[in-house]
Amino acid sequence: MGGPDDGVSETGDERHDDDRVYYVISDLHIGGDEQLEEVPFLDELLEFLGELESTDENAELVINGDAFGLWEFTTIEGIEKFDALEASYPRLFEQFRKTGENVPITMLPGNHDHELAAYDEYVERFAAYNVDLIQDPSVSRPVGDAAIHFEHGHQRDPNNHIEDWGNPHASPLGYYYNTHVTSRAGQLSDRGRFNWLKDVQAVTPTEWMPLWILSKYVYREMNPILRYALVPFLFLLNISALVAILVGLDWLGIYGMPIEAVQTFLGQFGLAGTAIYGIIAANVMIAGLLLLLGVPLYLIKHDISRTIDRFGVFETDLTVDASAPYETAARELFEDEPETAVFCYGHTHRPGVESVDGGLLVNTGTWLKRLHRRDGITGFLPPVFYPSYQLCAVRIAPEADGIAVEYEAIEKPNPAPEELTLTERLLTLGRKPNPTLPDRTVIQPSARAEAAPKRASEAD
């Protein structure tokens, strides 16, 4: 077989780079300590690679960073991590070998597998499986008369930016989070009532982590008897809060509360009715006190939050914009390199296509589970994090009318029925998330390139 760029297929047919089709995946996060070793999408990944093994297209597969979770291995170092991956996923590496015999496979390092850029041995070991490991931060490929820029995207994230590229000891803030939190979660996950802690990598943004843990405690780890007793109590507390508001309106003369009618109705049931009325009255008093305290506390909290936001106290350490840095980077790249029409990245786990100065900014999403926050019908319970999969491969191909970018969905059953408790399912009735992949998009790079000199002259 010819190499990735010699233009010759295994069968001897001439293939030209300008008509090559690119399939792009990223953020697989395969591997890690103990429970992180599980790959729930392995069968789907093998099937996808198997289809490329038999394709007649002039195609190339680009694995655009974070294929592996090397940061999440904390008991072994260096090239030993490749040995662990090879031993844990023999079917995957054998499929790499078979697929690479038909189409070139290019792999770029991400932040979680930055060590791929640090040891030359990785290049040799992957080459044995027909995977071309590029140790640079980015790579460009021709598509039609234009070019695609590939990078993982973590260099635009201050929490994961690698200052000294290729340094095996590089340790941005994200490194410490993953070696101390993510890997530890993998070690502890099987100690719970259910094996849920291993999904820690799917929690985005990271600020949701404490809330996610609280949610899983209530819905997964809490004693079921206690949980099922708590739900109706909190539901009654919500009703009592509503009644307390109505009583307040009655006192103010705004709304006439039919208290006597309620007493008469419950009185028909004798002692049981009297007990129910007493419970409701007690709850109304408690709810009223909570409301009286809650309103000023909410206003104080809101004012503190506005002050913090105004000073930007937490912006650098906690909040990373998932889109603006990439829009800026794409805009600068398109201006410096008019022949580049597509800026393709991953890292944020959010699949999307956006037009930027006539080019396309393309995010390849993730193969990890995605967690969608859904606040419960009662405000006294933590939100439910509804799981789903959104596996996809981005196909970038030249066409007669330009360059087409489309997301090819890879079907995987919804994990919610097995992973959500009855309580979680009840609290999210009618609010099941329905994540969708972007529509097919076509651009004309020639029009963008012609507009570039005009934009440059306007800037001057």
Side-chain angles (χ1 to χ4, degrees):
M1 174 186 173
D5 297 313
D6 63 6
V8 180
S9 71
E10 184 180 19
T11 59
D13 298 327
E14 184 177 1
R15 293 184 174 183
H16 301 283
D17 285 343
D18 58 3
D19 65 356
R20 176 166 289 177
V21 173
Y22 298 90
Y23 290 89
V24 195
I25 59 177
S26 72
D27 295 273
L28 309 175
H29 295 267
I30 295 172
D33 289 342
E34 299 189 28
Q35 298 301 307
L36 297 179
E37 183 179 291
E38 179 188 350
V39 182
F41 53 81
L42 182 58
D43 289 340
E44 288 81 7
L45 178 59
L46 293 174
E47 182 178 353
F48 167 69
L49 293 173
E51 292 174 356
L52 289 180
E53 176 191 353
S54 58
T55 185
D56 292 329
E57 287 185 307
N58 176 16
E60 178 175 348
L61 171 63
V62 178
I63 306 176
N64 203 16
D66 280 359
F68 301 101
L70 301 187
W71 272 355
E72 288 73 35
F73 284 106
T74 59
T75 60
I76 52 179
E77 298 289 339
I79 199 66
E80 293 178 357
K81 297 182 181 182
F82 186 94
D83 297 333
L85 292 171
E86 194 178 36
S88 298
Y89 313 106
R91 290 197 298 155
L92 174 61
F93 280 87
E94 182 56 30
Q95 188 59 61
F96 277 150
R97 190 199 310 275
K98 294 178 180 178
T99 301
E101 290 174 353
N102 186 51
V103 302
I105 303 176
T106 300
M107 180 182 294
L108 276 77
N111 50 312
H112 287 258
D113 52 14
H114 170 73
E115 291 174 51
L116 297 180
Y119 299 95
D120 290 340
E121 294 94 327
Y122 277 116
V123 176
E124 300 169 6
R125 298 289 293 275
F126 274 108
Y129 291 99
N130 294 322
V131 176
D132 181 21
L133 172 61
I134 306 295
Q135 293 185 300
D136 298 324
S138 64
V139 69
S140 180
R141 288 287 187 266
V143 56
D145 296 327
I148 311 169
H149 171 89
F150 293 103
E151 66 171 66
H152 179 62
H154 61 288
Q155 292 297 82
R156 319 291 176 177
D157 174 358
N159 288 341
N160 290 284
H161 179 81
I162 308 293
E163 291 287 347
D164 184 12
W165 184 266
N167 181 349
H169 306 294
S171 52
L173 180 61
Y175 168 82
Y176 293 104
Y177 177 82
N178 284 283
T179 55
H180 289 84
V181 177
T182 306
S183 64
R184 187 63 175 162
Q187 296 166 16
L188 299 176
S189 187
D190 63 344
R191 298 186 187 181
R193 292 178 184 270
F194 299 89
N195 194 1
W196 57 268
L197 196 54
K198 59 183 173 56
D199 289 334
V200 63
Q201 296 178 95
V203 181
T204 57
T206 308
E207 295 93 310
W208 282 0
M209 182 64 65
L211 193 58
W212 175 70
I213 292 176
L214 174 63
S215 172
K216 300 314 287 185
Y217 162 71
V218 171
Y219 301 122
R220 279 295 190 182
E221 296 298 325
M222 181 180 283
N223 186 291
I225 297 176
L226 179 60
R227 181 171 62 246
Y228 290 129
L230 185 64
V231 170
F233 171 77
L234 292 176
F235 181 69
L236 181 60
L237 192 59
N238 276 258
I239 294 176
S240 299
L242 176 61
V243 174
I245 294 173
L246 294 176
V247 169
L249 294 176
D250 184 41
W251 286 348
L252 294 173
I254 299 175
Y255 171 77
M257 180 74 177
I259 297 176
E260 293 184 3
V262 173
Q263 289 176 326
T264 302
F265 173 76
L266 292 176
Q268 300 176 16
F269 300 96
L271 185 61
T274 303
I276 293 173
Y277 183 81
I279 293 173
I280 293 176
N283 274 275
V284 167
M285 292 179 63
I286 295 172
L289 290 173
L290 290 175
L291 287 171
L292 288 174
L293 291 172
V295 171
L297 288 176
Y298 173 79
L299 294 174
I300 292 171
K301 175 182 176 294
H302 181 68
D303 190 66
I304 291 173
S305 298
R306 289 181 60 185
T307 303
I308 289 173
D309 291 341
R310 189 164 60 249
F311 282 98
V313 175
F314 295 130
E315 285 182 2
T316 300
D317 293 335
L318 297 179
T319 305
V320 176
D321 195 310
S323 59
Y326 304 99
E327 294 171 9
T328 300
R331 192 168 285 111
E332 293 173 352
L333 180 70
F334 293 156
E335 182 176 351
D336 294 340
E337 301 178 9
E339 71 280 4
T340 300
V342 179
F343 186 111
C344 187
Y345 72 107
H347 186 59
T348 69
H349 296 188
R350 295 172 173 85
V353 175
E354 180 181 352
S355 178
V356 176
D357 287 353
L360 287 182
L361 180 63
V362 179
N363 186 280
T364 46
T366 182
W367 284 52
L368 290 176
K369 193 176 298 174
R370 299 196 69 192
L371 301 177
H372 310 269
R373 176 177 170 174
R374 291 292 183 269
D375 292 324
I377 57 175
T378 168
F380 293 96
L381 284 173
V384 173
F385 287 84
Y386 202 102
S388 73
Y389 285 105
Q390 203 172 17
L391 310 186
C392 65
V394 176
R395 184 178 186 272
I396 306 175
E399 295 190 351
D401 55 348
I403 298 172
V405 174
E406 56 187 318
Y407 287 72
E408 296 192 355
I410 296 167
E411 298 299 325
K412 182 171 180 59
N414 187 340
E418 296 79 27
E419 296 186 4
L420 293 182
T421 61
L422 175 61
T423 307
E424 289 175 295
R425 293 198 295 272
L426 289 174
L427 292 175
T428 54
L429 281 175
R431 288 178 298 154
K432 176 181 176 182
N434 184 30
T436 57
L437 293 170
D439 294 330
R440 184 175 186 271
T441 305
V442 179
I443 60 166
Q444 295 179 319
S446 57
R448 196 197 69 80
E450 291 172 1
K454 180 180 179 181
R455 290 195 299 271
S457 62
E458 290 174 350
D460 294 339

